[in-house]
Amino acid sequence: MSGDPDRRARILTLGFLYALIVVLLVVIGLVLASVMVTSFFDRPAEPKNTSPDRGAAVLQLGRATA
């Protein structure tokens, strides 16, 4: 029976270490997700090329080369 307390302490220590590693991995994953989501919404909007003049210019260029 003299080996029981040492074994129990070793199991508790390993369990605590594994739990700590899991918690750290979860925290790192949450921080990375937060940074990615924040940087996604901070991007400038892409300009829209819906100018009617641009479409007319393309049509005129097509007619000129035909």
PDB file of all heavy atoms in Angstrom, residues 38-56:
ATOM      1  N   THR A  38     -11.979  39.403 -37.278  1.00  0.00           N
ATOM      2  CA  THR A  38     -11.812  40.853 -37.195  1.00  0.00           C
ATOM      3  C   THR A  38     -11.141  41.391 -38.443  1.00  0.00           C
ATOM      4  O   THR A  38     -11.568  42.401 -39.002  1.00  0.00           O
ATOM      5  CB  THR A  38     -10.987  41.222 -35.953  1.00  0.00           C
ATOM      6  OG1 THR A  38     -11.624  40.681 -34.803  1.00  0.00           O
ATOM      7  CG2 THR A  38     -10.882  42.719 -35.805  1.00  0.00           C
ATOM      8  N   SER A  39     -10.102  40.728 -38.911  1.00  0.00           N
ATOM      9  CA  SER A  39      -9.404  41.216 -40.107  1.00  0.00           C
ATOM     10  C   SER A  39     -10.272  41.058 -41.342  1.00  0.00           C
ATOM     11  O   SER A  39     -10.161  41.837 -42.291  1.00  0.00           O
ATOM     12  CB  SER A  39      -8.077  40.490 -40.292  1.00  0.00           C
ATOM     13  OG  SER A  39      -8.301  39.120 -40.536  1.00  0.00           O
ATOM     14  N   PHE A  40     -11.184  40.090 -41.367  1.00  0.00           N
ATOM     15  CA  PHE A  40     -12.074  39.919 -42.509  1.00  0.00           C
ATOM     16  C   PHE A  40     -13.026  41.105 -42.627  1.00  0.00           C
ATOM     17  O   PHE A  40     -13.256  41.633 -43.709  1.00  0.00           O
ATOM     18  CB  PHE A  40     -12.874  38.624 -42.372  1.00  0.00           C
ATOM     19  CG  PHE A  40     -13.888  38.422 -43.465  1.00  0.00           C
ATOM     20  CD1 PHE A  40     -13.486  37.996 -44.712  1.00  0.00           C
ATOM     21  CD2 PHE A  40     -15.225  38.674 -43.243  1.00  0.00           C
ATOM     22  CE1 PHE A  40     -14.409  37.813 -45.732  1.00  0.00           C
ATOM     23  CE2 PHE A  40     -16.153  38.495 -44.249  1.00  0.00           C
ATOM     24  CZ  PHE A  40     -15.748  38.065 -45.495  1.00  0.00           C
ATOM     25  N   PHE A  41     -13.580  41.559 -41.504  1.00  0.00           N
ATOM     26  CA  PHE A  41     -14.539  42.654 -41.542  1.00  0.00           C
ATOM     27  C   PHE A  41     -13.861  44.014 -41.647  1.00  0.00           C
ATOM     28  O   PHE A  41     -14.522  45.008 -41.945  1.00  0.00           O
ATOM     29  CB  PHE A  41     -15.457  42.608 -40.327  1.00  0.00           C
ATOM     30  CG  PHE A  41     -16.468  41.502 -40.411  1.00  0.00           C
ATOM     31  CD1 PHE A  41     -16.413  40.422 -39.553  1.00  0.00           C
ATOM     32  CD2 PHE A  41     -17.459  41.530 -41.362  1.00  0.00           C
ATOM     33  CE1 PHE A  41     -17.342  39.398 -39.640  1.00  0.00           C
ATOM     34  CE2 PHE A  41     -18.395  40.510 -41.469  1.00  0.00           C
ATOM     35  CZ  PHE A  41     -18.326  39.451 -40.601  1.00  0.00           C
ATOM     36  N   ASP A  42     -12.565  44.112 -41.423  1.00  0.00           N
ATOM     37  CA  ASP A  42     -11.843  45.384 -41.546  1.00  0.00           C
ATOM     38  C   ASP A  42     -11.346  45.637 -42.959  1.00  0.00           C
ATOM     39  O   ASP A  42     -10.768  46.686 -43.227  1.00  0.00           O
ATOM     40  CB  ASP A  42     -10.654  45.428 -40.579  1.00  0.00           C
ATOM     41  CG  ASP A  42     -11.108  45.626 -39.144  1.00  0.00           C
ATOM     42  OD1 ASP A  42     -12.269  46.046 -38.960  1.00  0.00           O
ATOM     43  OD2 ASP A  42     -10.317  45.380 -38.232  1.00  0.00           O
ATOM     44  N   ARG A  43     -11.554  44.692 -43.864  1.00  0.00           N
ATOM     45  CA  ARG A  43     -11.099  44.882 -45.244  1.00  0.00           C
ATOM     46  C   ARG A  43     -11.896  45.985 -45.911  1.00  0.00           C
ATOM     47  O   ARG A  43     -13.093  46.126 -45.669  1.00  0.00           O
ATOM     48  CB  ARG A  43     -11.292  43.607 -46.063  1.00  0.00           C
ATOM     49  CG  ARG A  43     -10.362  42.500 -45.716  1.00  0.00           C
ATOM     50  CD  ARG A  43     -10.468  41.382 -46.703  1.00  0.00           C
ATOM     51  NE  ARG A  43     -11.863  41.113 -47.075  1.00  0.00           N
ATOM     52  CZ  ARG A  43     -12.241  40.125 -47.836  1.00  0.00           C
ATOM     53  NH1 ARG A  43     -11.339  39.304 -48.334  1.00  0.00           N
ATOM     54  NH2 ARG A  43     -13.498  39.918 -48.120  1.00  0.00           N
ATOM     55  N   PRO A  44     -11.260  46.757 -46.782  1.00  0.00           N
ATOM     56  CA  PRO A  44     -12.039  47.754 -47.520  1.00  0.00           C
ATOM     57  C   PRO A  44     -12.939  47.069 -48.539  1.00  0.00           C
ATOM     58  O   PRO A  44     -12.608  46.008 -49.073  1.00  0.00           O
ATOM     59  CB  PRO A  44     -10.974  48.606 -48.219  1.00  0.00           C
ATOM     60  CG  PRO A  44      -9.764  47.752 -48.257  1.00  0.00           C
ATOM     61  CD  PRO A  44      -9.842  46.823 -47.076  1.00  0.00           C
ATOM     62  N   ALA A  45     -14.053  47.695 -48.812  1.00  0.00           N
ATOM     63  CA  ALA A  45     -15.001  47.111 -49.761  1.00  0.00           C
ATOM     64  C   ALA A  45     -14.425  47.181 -51.167  1.00  0.00           C
ATOM     65  O   ALA A  45     -13.725  48.126 -51.530  1.00  0.00           O
ATOM     66  CB  ALA A  45     -16.320  47.861 -49.694  1.00  0.00           C
ATOM     67  N   GLU A  46     -14.717  46.156 -51.956  1.00  0.00           N
ATOM     68  CA  GLU A  46     -14.245  46.145 -53.337  1.00  0.00           C
ATOM     69  C   GLU A  46     -15.093  47.119 -54.152  1.00  0.00           C
ATOM     70  O   GLU A  46     -16.314  47.156 -54.010  1.00  0.00           O
ATOM     71  CB  GLU A  46     -14.359  44.742 -53.919  1.00  0.00           C
ATOM     72  CG  GLU A  46     -13.437  43.749 -53.269  1.00  0.00           C
ATOM     73  CD  GLU A  46     -13.554  42.371 -53.900  1.00  0.00           C
ATOM     74  OE1 GLU A  46     -14.194  42.253 -54.962  1.00  0.00           O
ATOM     75  OE2 GLU A  46     -13.001  41.440 -53.326  1.00  0.00           O
ATOM     76  N   PRO A  47     -14.456  47.907 -55.013  1.00  0.00           N
ATOM     77  CA  PRO A  47     -15.239  48.857 -55.804  1.00  0.00           C
ATOM     78  C   PRO A  47     -16.096  48.131 -56.836  1.00  0.00           C
ATOM     79  O   PRO A  47     -15.684  47.133 -57.423  1.00  0.00           O
ATOM     80  CB  PRO A  47     -14.170  49.713 -56.486  1.00  0.00           C
ATOM     81  CG  PRO A  47     -12.959  48.866 -56.502  1.00  0.00           C
ATOM     82  CD  PRO A  47     -13.044  47.985 -55.284  1.00  0.00           C
ATOM     83  N   LYS A  48     -17.284  48.645 -57.034  1.00  0.00           N
ATOM     84  CA  LYS A  48     -18.192  48.039 -58.005  1.00  0.00           C
ATOM     85  C   LYS A  48     -17.970  48.709 -59.353  1.00  0.00           C
ATOM     86  O   LYS A  48     -17.868  49.932 -59.447  1.00  0.00           O
ATOM     87  CB  LYS A  48     -19.638  48.214 -57.564  1.00  0.00           C
ATOM     88  CG  LYS A  48     -19.961  47.449 -56.310  1.00  0.00           C
ATOM     89  CD  LYS A  48     -21.411  47.605 -55.953  1.00  0.00           C
ATOM     90  CE  LYS A  48     -21.729  46.800 -54.706  1.00  0.00           C
ATOM     91  NZ  LYS A  48     -23.114  46.973 -54.301  1.00  0.00           N
ATOM     92  N   ASN A  49     -17.901  47.934 -60.382  1.00  0.00           N
ATOM     93  CA  ASN A  49     -17.735  48.451 -61.740  1.00  0.00           C
ATOM     94  C   ASN A  49     -19.065  48.403 -62.476  1.00  0.00           C
ATOM     95  O   ASN A  49     -19.218  47.735 -63.482  1.00  0.00           O
ATOM     96  CB  ASN A  49     -16.678  47.645 -62.504  1.00  0.00           C
ATOM     97  CG  ASN A  49     -15.294  47.844 -61.934  1.00  0.00           C
ATOM     98  OD1 ASN A  49     -14.996  48.892 -61.381  1.00  0.00           O
ATOM     99  ND2 ASN A  49     -14.454  46.837 -62.057  1.00  0.00           N
ATOM    100  N   THR A  50     -20.023  49.120 -61.963  1.00  0.00           N
ATOM    101  CA  THR A  50     -21.354  49.115 -62.571  1.00  0.00           C
ATOM    102  C   THR A  50     -21.649  50.442 -63.260  1.00  0.00           C
ATOM    103  O   THR A  50     -22.791  50.840 -63.394  1.00  0.00           O
ATOM    104  CB  THR A  50     -22.420  48.838 -61.505  1.00  0.00           C
ATOM    105  OG1 THR A  50     -22.322  49.844 -60.495  1.00  0.00           O
ATOM    106  CG2 THR A  50     -22.257  47.456 -60.908  1.00  0.00           C
ATOM    107  N   SER A  51     -20.620  51.136 -63.683  1.00  0.00           N
ATOM    108  CA  SER A  51     -20.799  52.421 -64.354  1.00  0.00           C
ATOM    109  C   SER A  51     -21.430  52.200 -65.733  1.00  0.00           C
ATOM    110  O   SER A  51     -20.933  51.397 -66.524  1.00  0.00           O
ATOM    111  CB  SER A  51     -19.450  53.118 -64.494  1.00  0.00           C
ATOM    112  OG  SER A  51     -19.573  54.237 -65.315  1.00  0.00           O
ATOM    113  N   PRO A  52     -22.507  52.908 -66.045  1.00  0.00           N
ATOM    114  CA  PRO A  52     -23.122  52.726 -67.365  1.00  0.00           C
ATOM    115  C   PRO A  52     -22.217  53.212 -68.495  1.00  0.00           C
ATOM    116  O   PRO A  52     -22.274  52.715 -69.606  1.00  0.00           O
ATOM    117  CB  PRO A  52     -24.407  53.548 -67.287  1.00  0.00           C
ATOM    118  CG  PRO A  52     -24.270  54.425 -66.108  1.00  0.00           C
ATOM    119  CD  PRO A  52     -23.256  53.819 -65.204  1.00  0.00           C
ATOM    120  N   ASP A  53     -21.342  54.179 -68.214  1.00  0.00           N
ATOM    121  CA  ASP A  53     -20.435  54.692 -69.240  1.00  0.00           C
ATOM    122  C   ASP A  53     -19.438  53.625 -69.670  1.00  0.00           C
ATOM    123  O   ASP A  53     -19.070  53.544 -70.833  1.00  0.00           O
ATOM    124  CB  ASP A  53     -19.683  55.916 -68.726  1.00  0.00           C
ATOM    125  CG  ASP A  53     -20.627  57.073 -68.427  1.00  0.00           C
ATOM    126  OD1 ASP A  53     -21.701  57.128 -69.067  1.00  0.00           O
ATOM    127  OD2 ASP A  53     -20.294  57.892 -67.548  1.00  0.00           O
ATOM    128  N   ARG A  54     -19.011  52.819 -68.746  1.00  0.00           N
ATOM    129  CA  ARG A  54     -18.035  51.781 -69.069  1.00  0.00           C
ATOM    130  C   ARG A  54     -18.631  50.762 -70.034  1.00  0.00           C
ATOM    131  O   ARG A  54     -18.002  50.323 -70.985  1.00  0.00           O
ATOM    132  CB  ARG A  54     -17.558  51.087 -67.800  1.00  0.00           C
ATOM    133  CG  ARG A  54     -16.455  50.097 -68.026  1.00  0.00           C
ATOM    134  CD  ARG A  54     -15.919  49.590 -66.685  1.00  0.00           C
ATOM    135  NE  ARG A  54     -14.760  48.767 -66.884  1.00  0.00           N
ATOM    136  CZ  ARG A  54     -14.797  47.444 -67.047  1.00  0.00           C
ATOM    137  NH1 ARG A  54     -15.939  46.813 -67.036  1.00  0.00           N
ATOM    138  NH2 ARG A  54     -13.682  46.762 -67.222  1.00  0.00           N
ATOM    139  N   GLY A  55     -19.873  50.368 -69.808  1.00  0.00           N
ATOM    140  CA  GLY A  55     -20.537  49.412 -70.699  1.00  0.00           C
ATOM    141  C   GLY A  55     -20.730  49.981 -72.080  1.00  0.00           C
ATOM    142  O   GLY A  55     -20.551  49.288 -73.093  1.00  0.00           O
ATOM    143  N   ALA A  56     -21.068  51.265 -72.164  1.00  0.00           N
ATOM    144  CA  ALA A  56     -21.253  51.896 -73.461  1.00  0.00           C
ATOM    145  C   ALA A  56     -19.931  51.973 -74.206  1.00  0.00           C
ATOM    146  O   ALA A  56     -19.868  51.782 -75.436  1.00  0.00           O
ATOM    147  CB  ALA A  56     -21.853  53.288 -73.277  1.00  0.00           C
TER     148      ALA A  56
END
